[in-house]
Amino acid sequence: MDLKQSLEVVSRTGRYVVGYRRTVKEILARKPAAVVASTKSSGPLLKRVRILSQSMGVPLLLTELTPAELGLALRKPFPTSFIAVLDPGSSDIAEQVRAGSGE
């Protein structure tokens, strides 16, 4: 299953939050099972999320998908660069994070 399909499954069967501020808040609480971030997002914001994820022990999956593609994968009418997956539901996103395949 590719990342887009996994995110669609998360949107139907799991729980997640979108956006930089909410993602950072969840990382600080160590709640996410994984964080998905677009490499096409703002450089300083991406750097902060990388550092926070690493220091808090939250797995981070960087993807080449655009923010618009990430939003569409979650069936949202807006783009998003950061997604904190709180409950993966029936998706295989945890395996993708372990494999490091963000494509």
Side-chain angles (χ1 to χ4, degrees), residues 16-24 26 36 70-71 74 76 78-85:
Y16 63 93
V17 296
V18 297
Y20 173 75
R21 283 188 230 149
R22 293 188 69 195
T23 298
V24 167
E26 297 299 336
V36 179
L70 286 176
L74 292 172
K76 297 289 182 191
F78 53 83
T80 183
S81 296
F82 302 99
I83 303 165
V85 179

Side-chain angles (χ1 to χ4, degrees), residues 9-16 87-90:
V9 172
V10 168
S11 74
R12 286 186 280 120
T13 64
R15 288 187 13 210
Y16 63 93
D87 175 14
S90 302

Side-chain angles (χ1 to χ4, degrees), residues 35-55:
V35 171
V36 179
S38 172
T39 57
K40 294 173 176 43
S41 63
S42 169
L45 298 182
L46 183 59
K47 185 176 180 180
R48 288 182 194 141
V49 167
R50 268 185 158 159
I51 292 169
L52 272 176
S53 293
Q54 189 175 26
S55 66

